[in-house]
Amino acid sequence: MAVNESMTIAPSVGQSVLRREGRDKLTGEARYVDDWTFPGLWFGRTVRSSICHGEIEAIEFDPAFDWSRVTVADYRDIPGRNVVALIEEDQPLLAEKRVHHREEPILLLAAPDREWLEAAARQIRIRYREWPAVLTIEDALAGGEARRGIDNLLKEYHIERGDVDEGLRQSAHVLEGEYRVGHQEQLYIENNGVIAFPPSKDGSTRVMGSMQCPYYVHRALKTILDLDDEKIIVQQTVTGGGFGGKEEYPNMICGHAAILARKTGHPVKIIYDRGEDLAATPKRHPAVIRIRSGVASDGRLEAMDVDIVMDGGAYATLSAVVLSRAAIHAIGPYRCPNVRIRARALATNTPPNGAFRGFGVPQACFAEELHLDRIAAAIGLDPVTIRRKNLVREGDVTATGQTLRWSVGAEDVLEEAVRRSKFEELHRQYQRRTGGSKRRGIGLSLFMHGIGFTGSGEEKLKSISGVELLPDGRVKVLTAATEIGQGTRTIFCQIAADTIGIPYDSAVIEEPDTSRVPDSGPTVASRTCMITGSVVAEAARELREKLVAFAGADLGIPGAVIKGGMLYDPAGDQRLSFSELASQFLDAHRELRTFSRYQRPPGVHWNDETYSGDAYAVFSYAADVIEVEVDLDTFETTVLKVTTAQDIGTPIHPKLAEGQIEGGTLQAIGYGLLEEVVMHGGRMVNDRLTNYIIPTSLDAPEIETVLVGKPYPYGPFGAKGVGELPIDGAAPALASAIYNATGALVTELPITPERLEQACRLMHRSNRK
């Protein structure tokens, strides 16, 4: 029978198929970590430092309290090394003598009921000898010691291209600016939580919890417990959001639960409440960014001198890689022949900062985009023209010396966002408007985001994924990449199914469990779809080829093709269903599992020593246009509309991609307008949802999302990454729109009414002079 194309099952890639975990979440059947219970379960709690910097002198337990029902653990109960294994091993799992920030873990408690556990925690008194604390970037630069005898410098990078000093001398205009950004909390819906089990008969330890990176936890537990690989089992439970906040921090909470499970002999559950989660866990890095730029008379960038200083908090965690990405993105998607970038992360006596969606790019993007608007205003150009003159195109070279070879969508997204929003017309209209207590404005940002780990990171990870043929004719994807709400389970099934030639419903995915899936690398850095997805596709391709070879050698059907869940011979006649083919293969060979490892694309090279070359195989690009209304009586800003055009390559699942973009954009609006972590004495004092303000559905503006597809040849079906790009650009577009509405440029985030009022007063004073 010849193939009837109208009868074959349509490919799922590019279609918004039903998401795999959607029904369970919608009906409440999904089980988050706190939904799980086990016989003999105990509850755990952390006792934390109440000072920023000092030495523990004594720990006192109230003798009147009945401690027989409570287990107490400290650093002496750690069988391995007392470190949280990550890039640098400077952070203890439990403080021994010194504490370096408020909320630093000192003791662990466990009890069979939560009420008694809380009562026990109130009966502990810790006495300290306090030392001077370093609480800000300025304190750290002034020479205060955040960690006695250790330099405050956590990491430093230098990137240089051309001759910046000569470029500045030759420039028609030289402009300087300073830009400041504060913390931002990830604020996932589900707080951090984990359950650890006591060692089994063979000495194995198992933990299950809310996390992004099971193999990060696996490595951390190996170090803490001094166990071999096969003795550690880490399982991700259904996870209610992460945004980077569950990248490295689960190493800490899983270690705590494991220590308590070993000591009590019971399963132990630790679930943070919102206050503890806000106060103790990592946030987006605050930063001070200074830019000095040289510009030709026609608006072309001639030189950029950028200095970035980030507050890393008390320990290194992921500051080095956050700083690296900020430095590489410091001049944005623009050509500039002379670039000098100095980037530093400094230690302070505040809780460590770490991973957050965007990973250093939102900080850098806010500074460089706002600076570009200042340049445009100073030399008489509009925001679109100056970007058109300087944006990167295929063949251009970045600050690290990378030639942009593939899928360069900066111009496409800019023109699409400008056209759809009527930016140029509205910008002129709003700029001329005077009078009235409410003013409208429109702002623009153009930005890019490198996909995957920086430089040689992906090669060092050597990520592996696999595909397994099941007896019922389905295939199972084997990967440690986690579902955290972004659609991983869905898109991997789409990629595997379409690569093999079977219906979407014939692909399933294994649970992320380190005893059942290989190390596919972490679910971070916008790498899941493009990097891990390409490895899944390669494993699926190998499985398909093995089945086709079997059909030729064992079934007498050489040159067969699998399509639409059927096996066809070269003449186009249907010979077997895929399930029949699978059954016959497994009868003959018992199993079929194929694995693939990440391979870098051809021509991609990076030098770790000089920090130069291809920082990322490819970038995604986007442009945001935001329209606002500013009340000049209250200085409140209302976001009216966002138009965003995003080049993410081929969207595997358009609706999921649009959801990522809308969610990331709203998160960025919070960063730009509302979200302010108030630190006092090294402690977050607004650690409740009553006073840490985020956008709600009532604050969400109309968001028009345009997917501008420029396929990337080495991504699965042409896909790039989308997870982080949407959060990078809204904050500078907001500042630009407020500038267009009021004439006041606010250079510090968030743009609260108080900061806007101050900027307007400074502007009026300056105008009177």
Side-chain angles (χ1 to χ4, degrees), residues 38-179:
F38 297 92
L41 181 72
W42 282 34
F43 300 94
R45 191 189 192 284
T46 311
V47 176
R48 301 177 179 276
S49 170
S50 60
I51 67 167
C52 299
H53 194 202
E55 189 172 58
I56 299 168
E57 291 189 325
I59 301 176
E60 299 168 353
F61 299 85
D62 187 345
F65 185 77
D66 180 8
W67 292 98
S68 65
R69 296 169 58 189
V70 179
T71 294
V72 181
D74 65 15
Y75 70 92
R76 293 167 294 188
D77 294 295
I78 299 170
R81 292 191 294 131
N82 183 20
V83 296
V84 181
L86 205 58
I87 298 172
E88 302 290 339
E89 296 187 345
D90 63 337
Q91 184 176 18
L93 184 72
L94 293 168
E96 297 186 17
K97 287 296 290 180
R98 295 181 175 186
V99 292
H100 294 108
H101 65 89
R102 289 191 69 139
E103 313 301 334
E104 182 157 13
I106 297 173
L107 298 175
L108 303 172
L109 307 180
D113 66 80
R114 283 172 164 153
E115 291 77 12
W116 198 256
L117 185 67
E118 292 303 315
R122 292 193 293 270
Q123 311 309 314
I124 298 172
R125 181 180 172 224
I126 303 176
R127 290 193 286 108
Y128 308 91
R129 178 186 296 126
E130 289 197 57
W131 298 333
V134 174
L135 300 179
T136 65
I137 288 174
E138 288 73 20
D139 290 346
L141 289 170
E145 285 189 314
R147 298 180 297 178
R148 287 195 167 186
I150 303 174
D151 196 297
N152 288 340
L153 185 65
L154 295 172
K155 192 66 178 180
E156 184 169 17
Y157 295 100
H158 291 266
I159 298 172
E160 194 153 355
R161 178 169 175 259
D163 188 333
V164 169
D165 294 328
E166 182 60 24
L168 290 169
R169 279 193 292 271
Q170 296 294 328
S171 295
H173 308 275
V174 175
L175 293 97
E176 297 185 33
E178 180 180 286
Y179 309 90

Side-chain angles (χ1 to χ4, degrees), residues 447-468:
F447 46 103
M448 66 183 189
H449 198 100
I451 306 304
F453 271 32
T454 302
S456 58
E458 292 296 345
E459 288 181 83
K460 291 175 181 176
L461 278 174
K462 297 182 173 61
S463 302
I464 304 172
S465 292
V467 178
E468 179 181 8

Side-chain angles (χ1 to χ4, degrees), residues 186 188 212 242-249 354-357 484 524:
Q186 295 89 349
Y188 24 74
Q212 293 178 228
F243 310 115
K246 294 175 185 172
E247 177 176 349
E248 80 273 30
Y249 195 80
F356 191 155
R357 186 183 201 171
I484 50 174
V524 301

Side-chain angles (χ1 to χ4, degrees), residues 596-615:
S596 182
R597 189 183 294 275
Y598 173 77
Q599 299 289 327
R600 72 179 181 188
V604 172
H605 301 287
W606 176 257
N607 188 318
D608 281 314
E609 291 184 6
T610 61
Y611 223 69
S612 61
D614 299 299

Side-chain angles (χ1 to χ4, degrees), residues 304-326:
M304 293 282 281
D305 194 358
V306 184
D307 182 71
I308 301 171
V309 185
M310 284 188 165
D311 179 349
Y315 297 107
T317 65
L318 294 171
S319 288
V321 281
V322 172
L323 183 71
S324 160
R325 195 173 280 264

